Amino acid sequence: MKALQISSPFTLDVIDLPMPAPEAGEVLLRLQYVGFCGSDLNTFRGRNQMALSPVIPGHEISAVIESLGDNVPEGLKVGQTVTVDPYTACGNCPSCRNRRVNACQHNETLGVQRHGAMREYICVPWQKVIAADGLAQRDVALIEPMSVGFHAVDRAQVTDSDIVLVIGCGMIGVGAIVRASLRGATVIAMDIDDEKLALARELGASATVNSATENVHDALSRLTDGCGPDVVVEAVGASPTYQTAINEVAFTGRVVCIGYAPGDISLTTKFFVQKELDIRGSRNALPSDFRAVIRYLRRGDCPTDRLVSAVVAPEKAAEALQRWHEAPGRVFRILVDFR
């Protein structure tokens, strides 16, 4: 069967693998679409120190159940459209004992610490299969990245009384904007791209700030009556945006960090104490976040066409990654079509 492998920096090869067969407790999936995410791009660039080398990337999955191994519950059926929870959980670390399995100390994500789903078929434990009936197969590949943003809003404990600033309107930031809006919060979206900001308004943001052309502090003061946002979700992973989050969040506010910064960040720590801030990390997502995204997408009012920048055949995937590398700010998601 056909698969994609990042063999070395800036080298993505089409390789051939043997056809897998499901063991007891496993489900054989026939991949439909698989999305490239930011971690895949960094692996392609040679910057992802967590990734295997070489590695088959891919954990944003749309698939159809091809066959079932023994001892798989009756709720899963051949031909069913599904996605996959791509994270592992050891069951014994502090995160797992606290039922926060998304942050397992020993997590191995598909396409990063273990080979992923950029292939025609893959076997996974039935417990990792999440039904996505009623959704277009292409849209199913958007569930996992949106769920990461959904989880960040849950970590922030957002309510309808909050003003929420989401920094970064990429795919994960989009998920945060949607869920914060669904919870009734007032959402401010910040980015450097006006097209992404326009889309953020369609998805629920009531105001936007272009940090490339506007004074961020003045804009946020105007939008929050001088108080600052109650919650800031950092979905970029850069020193300036981390600093903005700490500087601009309201006193006693919550800062939730999703983005991985490439290096150390210098922060004014006096604000940690003076503002009595809650600073929280947010990693991956829980199955409940996946289900929340599925319920949202089933409403049918998400402009998913605008969230997919390109759909490419496996043979064209290397060119697509190279284009993304050259213009990273212009891409939401690139999907590889394995049908």
Side-chain angles (χ1 to χ4, degrees):
M1 67 172 182
K2 188 181 300 181
L4 296 179
Q5 177 178 272
I6 298 174
S7 304
S8 61
F10 298 100
T11 303
L12 181 72
D13 296 317
V14 180
I15 63 172
D16 187 63
L17 294 176
M19 180 73 180
E23 298 181 357
E26 289 188 334
V27 176
L28 175 64
L29 301 180
R30 176 164 48 89
L31 279 303
Q32 302 295 293
Y33 297 91
V34 183
F36 281 119
C37 76
S39 64
D40 297 323
L41 177 61
N42 279 332
T43 302
F44 179 71
R45 292 165 162 169
R47 301 176 186 173
N48 189 349
Q49 296 182 355
M50 294 186 293
L52 297 176
S53 182
V55 66
I56 298 169
H59 55 258
E60 300 177 357
I61 296 168
S62 167
V64 171
I65 295 178
E66 181 77 5
S67 65
L68 306 170
D70 294 334
N71 303 322
V72 173
E74 293 182 0
L76 297 175
K77 306 290 186 183
V78 171
Q80 191 172 21
T81 297
V82 298
T83 190
V84 173
D85 176 348
Y87 323 117
T88 63
C90 71
N92 296 314
C93 72
S95 301
C96 291
R97 291 199 300 266
N98 289 328
R99 299 182 181 179
R100 289 163 65 177
V101 294
N102 59 293
C104 174
Q105 184 175 349
H106 307 291
N107 168 66
E108 294 184 350
T109 299
L110 282 173
V112 185
Q113 295 94 344
R114 57 193 173 120
H115 291 302
M118 285 282 179
R119 58 179 90 185
E120 292 181 281
Y121 294 89
I122 190 172
C123 289
V124 298
W126 71 262
Q127 296 92 335
K128 293 297 182 180
V129 177
I130 300 173
D133 303 296
L135 295 182
Q137 290 173 344
R138 187 202 62 178
D139 295 350
V140 173
L142 304 178
I143 294 170
E144 192 276 343
M146 290 190 75
S147 73
V148 176
F150 269 49
H151 183 70
V153 169
D154 199 52
R155 285 283 292 142
Q157 299 175 298
V158 169
T159 72
D160 57 2
S161 65
D162 287 320
I163 298 175
V164 178
L165 171 66
V166 178
I167 303 177
C169 297
M171 195 65 205
I172 291 172
V174 159
I177 290 166
V178 168
R179 194 172 213 183
S181 177
L182 290 172
R183 291 192 173 189
T186 299
V187 182
I188 304 168
M190 189 176 100
D191 203 279
I192 60 173
D193 185 277
D194 285 331
E195 290 185 21
K196 289 183 177 179
L197 292 172
L199 179 59
R201 283 189 177 271
E202 289 186 40
L203 293 168
S206 59
T208 58
V209 177
N210 187 320
S211 57
T213 60
E214 299 179 66
N215 183 297
V216 171
H217 178 75
D218 290 349
L220 292 176
S221 293
R222 182 181 71 255
L223 293 167
T224 63
D225 295 326
C227 295
D230 304 290
V231 174
V232 178
V233 177
E234 200 288 330
V236 175
S239 180
T241 50
Y242 265 81
Q243 291 168 350
T244 295
I246 299 299
N247 293 345
E248 300 299 337
V249 71
F251 273 64
T252 68
R254 287 101 72 198
V255 175
V256 176
C257 306
I258 311 175
Y260 279 90
D264 293 339
I265 294 174
S266 176
L267 296 170
T268 306
T269 56
K270 71 175 183 179
F271 286 144
F272 293 23
V273 177
Q274 288 182 348
K275 293 184 177 182
E276 199 175 56
L277 297 181
D278 289 336
I279 302 174
R280 306 173 184 180
S282 182
R283 184 183 181 192
N284 300 331
L286 289 164
S288 58
D289 301 307
F290 280 72
R291 292 191 291 270
V293 173
I294 291 168
R295 286 193 296 271
Y296 164 67
L297 291 176
R298 281 178 178 154
R299 299 185 345 176
D301 55 3
C302 179
T304 53
D305 286 347
R306 297 179 60 190
L307 300 179
V308 178
S309 304
V311 177
V312 299
E315 292 78 9
K316 297 294 184 181
E319 296 175 20
L321 271 182
Q322 183 63 38
R323 289 194 299 270
W324 191 9
H325 163 69
E326 293 168 358
R330 305 301 298 175
V331 171
F332 275 105
R333 272 303 176 269
I334 295 169
L335 305 184
V336 180
D337 186 348
F338 283 95
R339 294 175 301 163

